[in-house]
Amino acid sequence: MEKVIVLEGLNAVDKKEKRSLLHKKIRLSDCIMYVLIYLSAALAVALLIGILGYVFVKGIGTVNISFLTSVTSVLKGTTGIAGNIVNTLYVIILTLIVAAPIGIGSAVYLNEYAKKGRIVKIIEFTTETLSGIPSIIFGLFGMVFFGNTLGLGYSLLTGSFTLAIMVLPLITRNTQEALKTVPDSYRNGALGMGATKWYMIRTILLPSAMPGIVTGIILAIGRIVGESAALLFTAGSGFLLPKVFSGYFSKIFESGGTLTIQLYLSMSKGQYDIAFGIAVVLLVIVLAINMLTKVLAGKLDVTKIK
Amino acid sequence: MDNNMVMSKSFSIIEGKKTKAVTELVMKYIFLICAFFAVLAVFSITLYMVLNGTPALFKVGIKEILFGTEWAPAAAEPKYGILYVIFTSIVGTACAVLIGVPIGVLTAVFIAEVAPKKLSAIVKPAVELLAGIPSVIYGLLGIMLLNPLMYKLELLVFKGSKTHQFTGGSNLLSAIIVLAIMILPTVINISESAIKAVPKDMRSASLALGASKIQTIFKVVLPVAKSGIMSAVVLGVGRAIGEAMAITLVSGSSVNLPLPFNSVRFLTTAIVAEMGYAADEHRQVLFTIGLVLFVFIMLVNTVFSRLLTGRKTEE
């Protein structure tokens, strides 16, 4: 009898403590969710570390000076990606020459000139749509429109025009965001002193928004470097360097595969060591771009720069 | 006198403005034209996809293409049925989203709500980097790491099976895993900003009523952030359905029913695999596949996103 009473007493104490404000009730479901949340986040980090680690371990042996500076040739017995690096640079520059002015101009119009209305809605809707279209569709369109209709065939120019359409929304959106951070007092100040609108945009707005615009352009470069589906059927897969100096201009009308295309081709041919070598180069570029945007993001707020 | 005239002329506020006014007007129209490029691009892409995608539909027959199950473009009597290809894209995307979205949303919860500052300062940049990795690299790793693993699994599951065609690991399952990983960054980033946009007082109110942190997150914060998270899902679906290069080699390359261990072909990979050498009617059919993909994407971006998020895609 006594034992039972003692036990009941203990139970009561136990219950009391659980109800106390100071004693938090631990829910099993909470614990499970915490574990799941931590696992998910750990998975994301582990994936990144795994991908970077695996690629670097597998590929770093292939990357050396001659891999980066020579062209694959059976005669000379060399394997290298110099031609693809040059092609990538061509595509980056050509694409940006087309896309940057249009993208920035479009953002300026939307932010500074346009009045809220149907036209703005249509433009913003199409920009949104454009950013949702998958790259393979851009590739098909580029192949037919620039390649066949305009007669450019498989060439760096075709590829660049195609990519220009693809990165257009990226540049427009980033420029728009940057322009929005420029305080209205800057605009009013300039206009109040008698500057015309274009003068104000040229000398006040665009310089103030520059870090944001450059961020957009760098993000676009990242997209261009990583793109493959839109280039496979537009820029083709040439990997040679021009033999004479004048060839560097006419090259834009010739086919040229970027690093990603070469990676894909090596991969489908089963040349995995070359593929991993290129993957290392690509990852280094991606890392560099990522750091650059980080640095620039710190400078985004114009009002803070002194 | 002469001097005076010149002076007064160049300093007048009324004259000399003409050139400036012209420049102003010209610049305005230049900006307007720039802005219309996006409209022009979407319009011409739509036009070209329709123009190039429809001839085959009439030539071969809508029923034969869209509902045919046999794909044999090189046969003496070519067959262009893409029903299985469409199924594969739908099943593959759906499964990738089912795997990727929960993990993505939980990671977003981790970054935005749970993690101490130091940890979220590691996870967030990691996610951003993950987003920047080119899709071909995902494909390369899929071939090198996933496919051998899947092959082992396949050998285990179909031990002694006489009817199963062994794929060496290039199957639907591998492709789904690659796609699920690839949509993670998109889902995480968008849901994170949706969660961060939930007002602080909602959390405080819930916590003050005695709800635990987890209860607050799942019963208050996530429901409030629902429309943002749904747009993350929509973007994830768009990304998964449009991805081509990463899964071309990982998924195998024969047209089959989308069963986990079958070698399959997606809408995107069907184009990539054969566009290089296709000619005439075959090529036109590939454009039809492109058109089907385009229609899917448009549906996802407009109808689907409006249904799910209850608002237009733009803020």
Side-chain angles (χ1 to χ4, degrees), chain A residues 27 30 109 149 196 198 228, chain B residues 24 32 48 212 215 245 287:
Chain A
R27 295 168 158 272
D30 279 17
Y109 181 80
T149 309
T196 58
W198 163 231
S228 41
Chain B
E24 282 297 298
L32 180 67
Y48 265 78
S212 71
Q215 282 175 318
M245 302 307 267
F287 270 99

Side-chain angles (χ1 to χ4, degrees), chain B residues 8-115:
Chain B
S8 70
K9 209 175 186 183
S10 60
F11 273 90
S12 153
I13 28 171
I14 300 163
E15 282 174 55
K17 252 187 121 183
K18 233 176 203 166
T19 47
K20 265 187 187 168
V22 170
T23 334
E24 282 297 298
L25 211 63
V26 169
M27 285 321 291
K28 184 182 172 177
Y29 281 105
I30 288 180
F31 286 134
L32 180 67
I33 292 168
C34 287
F36 263 100
F37 254 88
V39 183
L40 186 73
V42 170
F43 177 74
S44 36
I45 289 175
T46 313
L47 186 74
Y48 265 78
M49 289 317 292
V50 172
L51 278 184
N52 287 292
T54 40
L57 278 179
F58 294 117
K59 229 192 237 171
V60 186
I62 295 176
K63 220 180 96 191
E64 276 76 12
I65 290 187
L66 294 183
F67 299 106
T69 54
E70 203 180 328
W71 177 262
E77 246 182 75
K79 292 259 169 48
Y80 299 108
I82 61 168
L83 189 65
Y84 286 167
V85 181
I86 296 177
F87 277 168
T88 304
S89 263
I90 294 173
V91 171
T93 305
C95 292
V97 168
L98 281 182
I99 298 171
V101 166
I103 298 177
V105 172
L106 286 181
T107 310
V109 166
F110 179 82
I111 297 173
E113 299 280 328
V114 178

